[in-house]
Structures are given as structure tokens and as C-alpha cells.
Amino acid sequence: MTSYSCCLILLLFTWSTAAYGPNQRAQKKGDIILGGLFPIHFGVAAKDQDLKSRPESVECIRYNFRGFRWLQAMIFAIEEINSSPTLLPNMTLGYRIFDTCNTVSKALEATLSFVAQNKIDSLNLDEFCNCSEHIPSTIAVVGATGSGISTAVANLLGLFYIPQVSYASSSRLLSNKNQFKSFLRTIPNDEHQATAMADIIEYFRWNWVGTIAADDDYGRPGIEKFREEAEERDICIDFSELISQYSDEEEIQQVVEVIQNSTARVIVVFSSGPDLEPLIKEIVRRNITGKIWLASEAWASSSLIAMPEFFRVIGSTIGFALKAGQIPGFREFLQKVHPKKSTNNGFAKEFWEETFNCYLPDGSKSSPASASFHKGHEEGLGAGNGTSAFRPPCTGDENITSVETPYMDYTHLRISYNVYLAVYSIAHALQDIYTCTPGKGLFTNGSCADIKKVEAWQVLKHLRHLNFTNNMGEQVDFDEFGDLVGNYSIINWHLSPEDGSVVFEEVGHYNVYAKKGERLFINENKILWGGFSKEVPFSNCSRDCLPGTRKGIIEGEPTCCFECVDCPDGEYSDETDASACDKCPEDYWSNENHTSCIPKQIEFLAWTEPFGIALTLFAVLGIFLTSFVLGVFTKFRNTPIVKATNRELSYLLLFSLLCCFSSSLFFIGEPQNWTCRLRQPAFGISFVLCISCILVKTNRVLLVFEAKIPTSLHRKWWGLNLQFLLVFLCTFVQIVICVIWLYTAPPSSYRNHELEDEIIFITCHEGSLMALGFLIGYTCLLAAICFFFAFKSRKLPENFNEAKFITFSMLIFFIVWISFIPAYASTYGKFVSAVEVIAILAASFGLLACIFFNKVYIILFKPSRNTIEEVRCSTAAHAFKVAARATLRRSNVSRKRSNSLGGSTGSTPSSSISSKSNHEDPFPLPACAERQRQQQRGCKQKVSFGSGTVTLSLSFEEPQKNAMANRNAKRRNSLEAQNSDDSLMRHRALLPLQ
């Protein structure tokens, strides 16, 4: 069985060696062998394997100058380490480097070579195989380039725990240590690059992009991570396509159609140069311009794409590049390459032929090819297109510095430096093994590995715990995922004005160590869009929504496609592309454009507005007129008119009217808490005081005239003290209502935002509408009682007929306050106060005019009627009317009795009351000018009733002359005119009041 295994492994190794002949590898013996995998070619020739004969190895095509430089970086690092007196002294590193041709199959062929040799060594088959030339095991592999290739290689190497240190594979899938146990890399994880791409798109405020990814383990995970980041930033993806360098023409055409028809101008591409090249060529053929290309580091500086003839299509490229490093002496080493001198490098011969477009005569395996040379100032991918054209022979004296190729572009060493760093990482791991002290090692019981018999898994262990300082003074250590965290440079493609080549201008950087939001820096002044423009292109599904509008969702469209909707009233947006409008604060309202909030208009019944001025003038006029009336009454306080109206109550009534007019002023001006709590009680108490005075005054006169015989008891109850007591009691009830109101639910100032959106109405919140209803209801109740007594007193003498005017004033009062209720309920804002002010003023003016204006007129303009005689005559006339009415009733009753008994005759009194059954008009009363003379000899008047006329005669002769006559007259009148005497007694009772 062991012999069979030996033969099988030898067979595999022999097949691998046959596939990679002397001219297809770079190999050097050493104590420790490092493997290398580099893309010396971009691909393999398509060949139909019909299996009619033994399958042959596929041919690699399209020479990659850049890949050869990476290979040279590995050889340079190994030779530098071998010549170092401090790093691995007395140890020599060898190498075995193979071409992957940028394909998985070729990479696996090379990897199988590494694994086969290691397996032979592990089986210890020397005694069976009798191998004459022992080749040491490969303890570590540097490579590969593409993530897809590295994934396949890592799966194979991981089975044998052979450490693999990649210099260019950035797929985040390779960080999975459960699957890729032995994989490490000196390039940052793509996860940071995808995040950086999303940050750039967010920075330029783009939200409508397309994505293209290579259909491999590099493109798919990278673009997936970008989608996650884009979703977090509300970036929408219009299309997402997969490409490959092996895609057929139809697939390429389909992708180009999608790009051409898309409205997205920004295209994010996670791909390598070879995979993207067929697509770019078709886009150039169709001349699809105006697109912005966001490039991943795998093609951002690729010479396959960064060609002058492609620039009009992809001139707006912004890409990521790895941080450049410095390799001292590397430039000179690159210039020393020569087929005859580089005996250990089997790729030098083909490099020379491709560089100088010639062939070496002794290179039988080198097929003629023509080369296309591509110039760049950064590392780029160069391609040589194999043709059957004849090449002249090489002389061997060609000067490598005379030809410009990507191989000699060492100005910004990025991938080359990663290769250099990978070799040094392995060397430092070996150095740790070499210098390990027993008891302090990483293995069981602190043991150390034997540097002379070191195995791959031991090197892997030390690589995981590696920590050293590189030649640039930076600390190098792999994290738990085998990654090195690094930063990115951001480059923009420019067209060189000197030779028309594509140059890569650094316009910013991305620092993965910085805080979120501070990682990206871009110098926009250095960016040229399309090679000449400074204006940032637009790549949004919808135009930006201006301030004052918000984004509205369009049904069936992505969230990035929206319509701009004006902010509603009361809301605003002060930024572009607002997702929602913000509500204005409570005391603010949006301006006309809805871009900001302005203070709401404040409205109340102000002193300065015309309406407020008019109401104030009317209130002041009422105060002035009331004061004037009070002044007139004070000046003429001893005149009969003033006395007859009960001047003390009149003074109190005028004072209450002053309070009524003044209380209306509390409703004007900005409502404050104290004015709100004062105005309604002031209005209610003032009106109750006013109506109480009128009520007591009217009721007293009515009681006097209706009482049959005024007695001392009547005079006591009609006294002034009792009148004020009644006024106080009526007013006290209103005061109690107001105190309860202010204690339980006091009114307060209130800013009402609900009536109108743009206006704040400052009003008084009454606290309790029920309390306000009680206040007004009690006032109206007193007014109704007053109206009743005033109506009943409407036929009193002329000097006492103010009850008639009180009746009118109460009617006005009721009309005003009945109209007030619906007006108060239907108005709002400042007009509520205005309605109440109008009601107060109208009621107050009605009371003042009806009760006092007639008396003031008589006092000022008719002084002849303001005499005691006028008052007595008027009172006597009222008494005679009452007596005559009573006599006439009695006479009619007697007549009816006489007719029923056959007739009877009564004596005629000396007062000569005669009745006439006719319906003549009554005699007018004598003029006041003649009443003094008539009072000397008597007064005779006619009183008219509905059924006839009664003539009354009353003598006012001096007592000493007519004492006997008066006694006789009284006896005669005692039988027929007893009712008349009652009326005269009322007259006598009223005389002191006059």
C-alpha cells in the first residue's frame, strides 16, 4: 500500500512538473522553499478538448508586465533576506514560482506541485523511492492575485495547513477562518472598500447608481457588501449585473444595453481589469459617455482599462488604490533583468521578447508575439496580444530603460510592496522560530520548532502571532482573521497634457482607523469630471426637492424616485431633499415658501386698532356724560325734580353707571390674568348695582302711591337706610356669585391657536361658562323685576313718570342682552370681547338716556317746570284723577241702585262734584302761570274718563277766613268723596319728598 501511494504521488508530481517545464517557472534552491503564484499572463487560449487524443495543457496568452514585476518583487525580497546578516543568518531561502495565467485551473496545477512535494516529505519515502535529488517542502506560499483564484488555492492548501499569504486577494469571504484556515493577506479586506464606496456616493449626494461585479469570489461578495451599505444610506440601485472575461458576446451586449438605457450615471464596479475589459471595449464601440465609474482597487489603476483611447468613456473614473510603499534598491533590481543573467527566472526570456518585440533564437518554446505597450505613472496592467506576426531576433544588448512598459512603472508601488511585505512576514515568522527559546515557544509545554526541520503548520502558528516593524517603520501584525488593516488612497483619472497618457491623480484618502463620519477626505478642487469639468455630475432618480418641499413616494418606484410635494401650512423644510416637513413650534407659522417659521400674528382687541379706538371713545363719552349728569344733579340737588327722583339713590345710580362704562375698558387691550379676573365681576357688579338702584327707586314710588293712608310704618319702611340696605342685599348676591367663581374656576389669559392657523388669539378663558351664565342671569332677573314695577308705575304723575322711561330702558336692556347671547356664541377671537363691550355700552347708554336725559333737559332748558308748584299741581292732578275715578264708580253704582228702587236724591257736596253723561272732551289743565292765582281762590279742574267728565273743585283759602266753610265742606264731602280724601292724603305724604 505504501509503495502504491508513493507511485501515485510521484505520478502526480511528474505530471505537474511536465506541465510546468523549465521555461514556465522561476525556481531557486534553498534551505527553506517559499512558493509563489503570480499572473504572468492574463488568461488562457480557448481550446476545444475533443478528447480524441491526450489532452494538452492550455496555452497562456496576453503577457502581463505588471504580474512579472510582482514576481520580481518576491525574488528581490528573498535575495535581500538572504544577504541580511541579522535576518535568518546561516539560512538560505529558495523559491518556486509559477504562473497562474489568471485562471483557477492553472493556479491549482501549481498548488498541486506544492502539495505533492510536501506530501512526499511527510511520507518519508526516500528509502523506497531512492530519489537522487531531494527538493525541500514548500513551507509557505505567496499569492495569489484574484480572490477567486485564492479561494480555490486556499481550500487546497488549507487541507495541509500550508500558510498562504496573499498580496492582492481582498474578498471578505477569505476572512472566514473556519473555511480558510491557513489564509492570510497583506491587503485590506474589501469590507472597508465597499463602505468607502458608499461613503463617496453619499458625499456627492448621489442616490441612483448601477452596479457591475465580476462573477467570482471577489466581485460577488464585494458588491453584496456595497448593497448593504447603500441600503443604510438610502442609496438605490437601478441595475446589478455580473460579468466575466469569459462571457460571450451576447451576454456583454445585454449588459451594455442595460447600462445605455439606465438613467443612473454612477456605476460601481467590483471587478478585475481582465474581467472588465470586454465590457469597456463594447461601451467604447457604442460611444456611451457621461457615466461616472467608481472603481475598486482591482482595476482602478489597471493599464488594460486606463488607456487613452478609452478615456472619453471612462474619464470620470474615481477609484481606490492601496497605500504605496517604498522598496529601496528595487528600481535598480528591475533594470538588471536579462535572460542570460536571470538563470533562475524562467519567465525572463518571454519578458524580454514581449518587451522588445523580438525573439531569442535559443527559445524554441517561445512563440512569436507582438506586444502592445501601455504607459502609466502608477502600477498598471499591461497586455500583449499574441499574433502570428514575425518578430526579429533579439540581440541581447537591448536597453530595458529605453522602453516604457508597466514593468518599469515603479513610482507608486502598491501590489509590489504587498508582495515584498508578504515575503518579509514569512521571513520574520521563520526568524521567530530560529530565535525561539525552549520553554517560551508557542507549542506544547513551551517547546520550539526546529528551524532545520520546520514544517508548514509550525510556520502558520508563528504567522498568526506575528508582530514586527517593516522597513517603513510601521507595525505589522495579522488580526484574528488573518488580515492587515490598511488605508486607501482615492484617485481620479486625468489625461496627461504632455503625452496624452492616463495618469492617476490622488484626490483624497480613506482612513479606516478614524471615527465613523471622519474617515473620508476628498479634495474636490483636484477632481476633473470627464477630464475637464469641475461641476459634480447629477446621478439621482429625481431632482432635488428644494427647501419648502418634501419627498413624496411614487407608487411602484424605489424610494429614491420621488416627487416633490409642497409642505402643508404650518410645516416647513429648510434643507434640500427633506424626507418630511417639520412642524413649526406652537407660536410660529410657516412663511409663504414654507422654508422657515415666522411668529404667528397676535390678535386681541387692541387700544390702537380702529375698532378698539372707537369703543374706547364711546366708553369715555359715556363716562363724560354720566359725570356731566352727576354734576348737574349735584349743582341742582335742592330743586324739586332732583328731590322727587330720590337724589341719594340717583347719585348711587350715576356712580354705578360710571362703573359700567369704566368696566368696558377692561375688555380692551391685551388680556392679562388680572384683567380677565376683574372684567366680568366688574361688569356684573356694576350692572347689578345700577339695576338695584332703579328697582328700589321704582318700587318705593309705587308703594307710596298705592298705599291708602301713609302711616309712620310706611315712612319707616320707605326711609333712606332701608333703601340702601335693599340695594346692598341685591348687589351682595352678585358679589357672592363672583367670589365663588373666582375661587373655584378663575378666568385667565389664554392663547388660542385653534381658531385660525396663522393667528394666535389672546383671549380670556372664562373658567366656567356656568358662572358667567349665573352672573348675567341674575342681572337679567333683577332687570325683569325692575321692568315689572316700572311698567306698573307708568301712570304716575308727570314728575314721577320716570317709570315710563325705566320701562323703555329695561326693554333696551333686554334687547341688548338677548342679542348678546347668540352673538357671543357665534363670534371668536377678539370679537368676543368687542361684542361684550358693545353690549355693556349699549345697555349703559340706554339706562343713562332714558332715566336722566329728560330730567337734565328740564333742569337746564325748562326751569319753569322745576318748581314746587309744578310738582304739587301735578301731584294734585293725579290725586284728583284717582278720586274722580273712585267717585265715578261709586256714582254709577248709586245710580244703578236708584233706578232699581225708583230713584232717590242725595245732597250735593260743597266741592260741587258734578257728572255729565255726555262724552265731551276734557277741559285742559290751566297754565302754570295762572296756578298761583288759582290757588288763592281755589282750583277747579275737569277730569275726563272713558264714560264721562267729572268736574273737581278744591279751595285753598286761608284757614282763618274759611275755617267754618272748610269744616262744612268736609262734612259734606265725607259721605260722597271719602275716596278722594284718601288720595289727598297720599299727596300730603309726598310733599315732604318734594
Side-chain angles (χ1 to χ4, degrees):
M1 183 65 185
T2 306
S3 178
Y4 175 77
S5 300
C6 176
C7 293
L8 178 61
I9 294 175
L10 285 175
L11 178 63
L12 292 173
F13 181 71
T14 303
W15 178 81
S16 178
T17 304
Y20 284 87
N23 293 325
Q24 292 178 303
R25 73 175 65 183
Q27 181 173 309
K28 182 179 180 181
K29 294 181 181 181
D31 299 324
I32 298 174
I33 300 298
L34 303 184
L37 298 173
F38 294 93
I40 308 302
H41 295 84
F42 283 117
V44 295
K47 188 174 183 181
D48 184 19
Q49 301 286 358
D50 56 4
L51 302 180
K52 292 181 179 180
S53 60
R54 181 184 296 273
E56 297 179 0
S57 177
V58 292
E59 181 185 0
C60 297
I61 60 173
R62 303 175 64 200
Y63 194 81
N64 183 4
F65 290 96
R66 194 177 170 202
F68 183 70
R69 186 178 70 233
W70 300 339
L71 179 148
Q72 288 287 80
M74 180 176 176
I75 296 175
F76 174 79
I78 291 175
E79 292 184 359
E80 192 175 61
I81 293 169
N82 288 338
S83 61
S84 171
T86 58
L87 190 59
L88 295 177
N90 303 321
M91 297 290 295
T92 302
L93 294 181
Y95 52 83
R96 295 176 64 203
I97 304 173
F98 296 97
D99 180 13
T100 64
C101 298
N102 204 35
T103 61
V104 173
S105 60
K106 285 292 185 180
L108 288 177
E109 287 181 16
T111 306
L112 188 59
S113 174
F114 302 141
V115 172
Q117 183 60 45
N118 283 27
K119 193 62 179 175
I120 291 174
D121 288 348
S122 66
L123 293 175
N124 195 16
L125 298 178
D126 289 346
E127 54 180 308
F128 299 100
C129 298
N130 193 21
C131 299
S132 60
E133 187 176 352
H134 175 71
I135 301 176
S137 300
T138 303
I139 54 93
V141 175
V142 176
T145 308
S147 295
I149 298 174
S150 287
T151 300
V153 171
N155 280 318
L156 183 56
L157 293 178
L159 294 175
F160 305 95
Y161 290 93
I162 301 174
Q164 175 189 357
V165 184
S166 176
Y167 49 86
S169 300
S170 57
S171 172
R172 60 178 181 146
L173 296 181
L174 292 168
S175 296
N176 185 353
K177 294 299 106 178
N178 293 326
Q179 184 177 359
F180 308 104
K181 302 177 180 63
S182 62
F183 180 84
L184 302 97
R185 53 186 162 190
T186 57
I187 186 173
N189 190 327
D190 271 341
E191 188 166 350
H192 298 295
Q193 185 175 193
T195 303
M197 286 181 167
D199 286 344
I200 287 180
I201 292 174
E202 186 179 33
Y203 176 86
F204 288 111
R205 305 191 63 164
W206 298 324
N207 65 10
W208 190 237
V209 301
T211 63
I212 296 175
D215 191 11
D216 55 23
D217 288 337
Y218 170 73
R220 289 192 302 269
I223 212 66
E224 182 61 32
K225 176 62 178 177
F226 171 78
R227 287 197 194 97
E228 295 173 4
E229 296 291 335
E231 186 175 355
E232 292 181 2
R233 294 165 173 79
D234 293 329
I235 300 170
C236 298
I237 297 176
D238 184 26
F239 63 87
S240 186
E241 299 292 333
L242 296 175
I243 59 173
S244 172
Q245 62 176 318
Y246 303 109
S247 299
D248 56 33
E249 186 177 352
E250 184 179 352
E251 291 174 339
I252 295 296
Q253 294 283 351
Q254 184 178 357
V255 174
V256 173
E257 288 287 343
V258 171
I259 295 173
Q260 190 170 15
N261 296 328
S262 173
T263 57
R265 295 189 63 186
V266 175
I267 301 176
V268 179
V269 181
F270 257 95
S271 173
S272 63
D275 286 324
L276 183 62
E277 184 186 21
L279 178 68
I280 295 298
K281 286 182 176 179
E282 179 61 24
I283 291 175
V284 170
R285 189 185 68 82
R286 295 196 183 192
N287 195 27
I288 301 174
T289 59
K291 301 295 182 181
I292 301 115
W293 300 84
L294 194 55
S296 65
E297 45 77 29
W299 72 274
S301 56
S302 171
S303 59
L304 279 177
I305 310 299
M307 300 176 66
E309 53 266 34
F310 295 166
F311 190 81
R312 72 178 188 275
V313 169
I314 56 174
S316 296
T317 298
I318 291 181
F320 290 87
L322 301 175
K323 184 179 179 181
Q326 300 296 328
I327 307 177
F330 186 51
R331 176 181 180 182
E332 291 76 14
F333 179 79
L334 292 177
Q335 295 175 351
K336 291 179 181 179
V337 65
H338 195 278
K340 294 180 180 180
K341 296 179 182 180
S342 304
T343 56
N344 296 321
N345 192 344
F347 300 104
K349 179 178 179 296
E350 186 179 1
F351 164 75
W352 197 266
E353 292 176 340
E354 293 293 335
T355 301
F356 299 104
N357 197 21
C358 63
Y359 76 95
L360 293 171
D362 57 343
S364 58
K365 291 187 178 181
S366 177
S367 57
S370 63
S372 298
F373 305 110
H374 307 287
K375 178 182 176 184
H377 295 286
E378 301 222 8
E379 285 186 274
L381 290 176
N385 299 322
T387 65
S388 59
F390 175 78
R391 288 179 173 179
C394 301
T395 63
D397 297 327
E398 291 86 358
N399 185 3
I400 193 68
T401 60
S402 65
V403 180
E404 292 183 359
T405 64
Y407 171 77
M408 292 301 295
D409 184 12
Y410 45 81
T411 54
H412 294 86
L413 301 176
R414 294 187 170 91
I415 300 297
S416 298
Y417 183 76
N418 286 352
V419 174
Y420 180 81
L421 190 60
V423 175
Y424 264 88
S425 298
I426 299 172
H428 277 278
L430 293 171
Q431 178 71 12
D432 292 342
I433 295 174
Y434 181 78
T435 59
C436 178
T437 302
K440 297 182 180 180
L442 300 177
F443 305 102
T444 306
N445 299 323
S447 61
C448 298
D450 186 358
I451 190 63
K452 296 181 180 180
K453 297 181 180 180
V454 66
E455 297 184 32
W457 64 272
Q458 294 171 327
V459 177
L460 177 61
K461 179 68 174 177
H462 278 270
L463 279 170
R464 290 179 178 178
H465 294 82
L466 183 66
N467 192 333
F468 74 99
T469 303
N470 63 12
N471 66 325
M472 296 179 63
E474 298 174 344
Q475 202 70 20
V476 178
D477 60 326
F478 296 100
D479 61 17
E480 57 181 327
F481 304 108
D483 299 336
L484 286 181
V485 180
N487 299 325
Y488 292 98
S489 296
I490 301 174
I491 59 174
N492 179 223
W493 290 14
H494 291 184
L495 203 60
S496 174
E498 299 174 358
D499 55 6
S501 62
V502 177
V503 295
F504 310 113
E505 180 72 22
E506 185 170 337
V507 296
H509 61 264
Y510 188 83
N511 185 2
V512 298
Y513 298 100
K515 295 179 181 178
K516 189 175 182 180
E518 300 177 0
R519 297 173 180 172
L520 179 67
F521 170 77
I522 293 180
N523 187 353
E524 292 189 51
N525 295 326
K526 290 185 177 181
I527 299 178
L528 292 178
W529 304 100
F532 61 90
S533 176
K534 289 284 187 179
E535 183 180 357
V536 178
F538 180 82
S539 184
N540 294 43
C541 184
S542 302
R543 285 288 175 183
D544 293 343
C545 289
L546 299 176
T549 62
R550 64 170 179 85
K551 295 188 290 187
I553 297 175
I554 302 176
E555 188 175 355
E557 295 290 338
T559 55
C560 299
C561 301
F562 51 82
E563 58 183 351
C564 296
V565 181
D566 291 334
C567 290
D569 293 337
E571 297 182 8
Y572 76 101
S573 66
D574 56 358
E575 59 182 11
T576 304
D577 273 350
S579 299
C581 298
D582 298 322
K583 285 190 175 182
C584 291
E586 189 177 23
D587 293 343
Y588 290 80
W589 193 250
S590 56
N591 60 1
E592 184 177 356
N593 297 326
H594 299 280
T595 56
S596 63
C597 291
I598 57 177
K600 287 184 178 180
Q601 181 181 349
I602 305 294
E603 278 205 5
F604 53 86
L605 188 59
W607 298 98
T608 55
E609 65 176 292
F611 201 19
I613 294 174
L615 294 177
T616 302
L617 290 177
F618 276 107
V620 172
L621 176 62
I623 293 172
F624 172 76
L625 292 178
T626 305
S627 301
F628 175 75
V629 172
L630 182 60
V632 171
F633 268 55
T634 303
K635 181 177 181 180
F636 296 95
R637 60 185 175 277
N638 294 320
T639 60
I641 288 293
V642 177
K643 287 183 177 182
T645 56
N646 198 338
R647 61 187 173 190
E648 287 78 9
L649 282 179
S650 295
Y651 294 156
L652 187 58
L653 177 58
L654 289 169
F655 171 74
S656 65
L657 285 174
L658 281 174
C659 293
C660 290
F661 284 114
S662 300
S663 67
S664 65
L665 297 177
F666 290 114
F667 292 83
I668 305 174
E670 181 176 354
Q672 305 291 336
N673 285 336
W674 69 272
T675 57
C676 291
R677 294 170 185 173
L678 184 62
R679 65 181 192 173
Q680 295 292 6
F683 141 70
I685 293 173
S686 300
F687 265 97
V688 166
L689 179 62
C690 176
I691 295 175
S692 298
C693 293
I694 297 172
L695 175 62
V696 172
K697 185 177 181 182
T698 305
N699 188 42
R700 176 181 174 277
V701 175
L702 182 63
L703 290 176
V704 167
F705 275 96
E706 289 190 350
K708 294 184 178 182
I709 299 177
T711 63
S712 60
L713 182 63
H714 287 97
R715 294 177 183 274
K716 177 181 178 182
W717 283 102
W718 294 335
L720 191 60
N721 292 334
L722 181 62
Q723 297 173 39
F724 281 113
L725 178 62
L726 292 175
V727 171
F728 171 75
L729 290 176
C730 293
T731 308
F732 181 74
V733 174
Q734 187 76 308
I735 293 174
V736 170
I737 293 175
C738 294
V739 169
I740 295 174
W741 182 9
L742 293 177
Y743 180 78
T744 57
S748 59
S749 177
Y750 172 63
R751 299 171 74 89
N752 195 329
H753 301 82
E754 300 175 358
L755 298 177
E756 290 190 17
D757 294 330
E758 303 178 21
I759 301 175
I760 299 177
F761 291 99
I762 303 181
T763 59
C764 285
H765 187 274
E766 302 301 347
S768 173
L769 290 178
M770 181 180 295
L772 179 62
F774 275 117
L775 184 141
I776 297 177
Y778 178 69
T779 306
C780 292
L781 175 64
L782 292 181
I785 297 173
C786 185
F787 174 78
F788 171 75
F789 286 118
F791 182 79
K792 193 173 182 181
S793 305
R794 68 189 184 280
K795 295 183 179 181
L796 290 180
E798 184 179 357
N799 298 76
F800 301 91
N801 68 352
E802 64 181 355
K804 183 187 304 181
F805 296 105
I806 290 174
T807 303
F808 287 123
S809 67
M810 291 300 105
L811 286 175
I812 294 173
F813 184 88
F814 283 126
I815 292 172
V816 168
W817 289 108
I818 291 174
S819 303
F820 164 78
I821 294 174
Y824 185 87
S826 60
T827 54
Y828 60 89
K830 64 181 181 181
F831 299 106
V832 174
S833 299
V835 166
E836 193 160 358
V837 171
I838 292 172
I840 292 172
L841 293 178
S844 301
F845 274 114
L847 292 174
L848 179 66
C850 291
I851 296 175
F852 291 102
F853 280 7
N854 182 52
K855 294 178 179 57
V856 172
Y857 175 76
I858 292 174
I859 292 172
L860 296 180
F861 300 104
K862 298 292 184 179
S864 59
R865 296 177 58 184
N866 189 15
T867 60
I868 188 65
E869 294 81 6
E870 179 70 18
V871 173
R872 285 177 177 174
C873 186
S874 177
T875 305
H878 176 74
F880 291 146
K881 289 181 182 180
V882 174
R885 189 179 293 110
T887 302
L888 185 58
R889 280 198 305 271
R890 188 177 295 276
S891 176
N892 290 335
V893 172
S894 300
R895 187 180 303 109
K896 290 180 181 179
R897 290 179 179 176
S898 299
N899 292 335
S900 61
L901 297 176
S904 62
T905 305
S907 59
T908 303
S910 64
S911 58
S912 62
I913 301 174
S914 60
S915 176
K916 298 181 180 180
S917 58
N918 58 17
H919 298 277
E920 298 176 1
D921 294 335
F923 294 100
L925 294 176
C928 293
E930 298 179 0
R931 289 182 182 177
Q932 184 66 31
R933 180 175 56 82
Q934 290 176 357
Q935 288 175 359
Q936 299 294 330
R937 63 178 186 271
C939 182
K940 183 180 294 185
Q941 295 192 24
K942 293 183 179 180
V943 182
S944 175
F945 299 96
S947 57
T949 302
V950 176
T951 302
L952 302 178
S953 178
L954 180 63
S955 297
F956 293 95
E957 297 178 1
E958 296 180 3
Q960 60 271 23
K961 294 181 179 180
N962 299 308
M964 186 61 65
N966 287 339
R967 285 194 294 271
N968 294 332
K970 288 181 181 180
R971 284 195 295 268
R972 286 193 298 268
N973 292 337
S974 60
L975 297 175
E976 293 88 359
Q978 187 174 355
N979 291 333
S980 298
D981 292 339
D982 296 337
S983 299
L984 292 177
M985 289 301 296
R986 295 186 187 94
H987 164 67
R988 294 189 186 97
L990 287 171
L991 290 180
L993 301 176
Q994 300 170 6

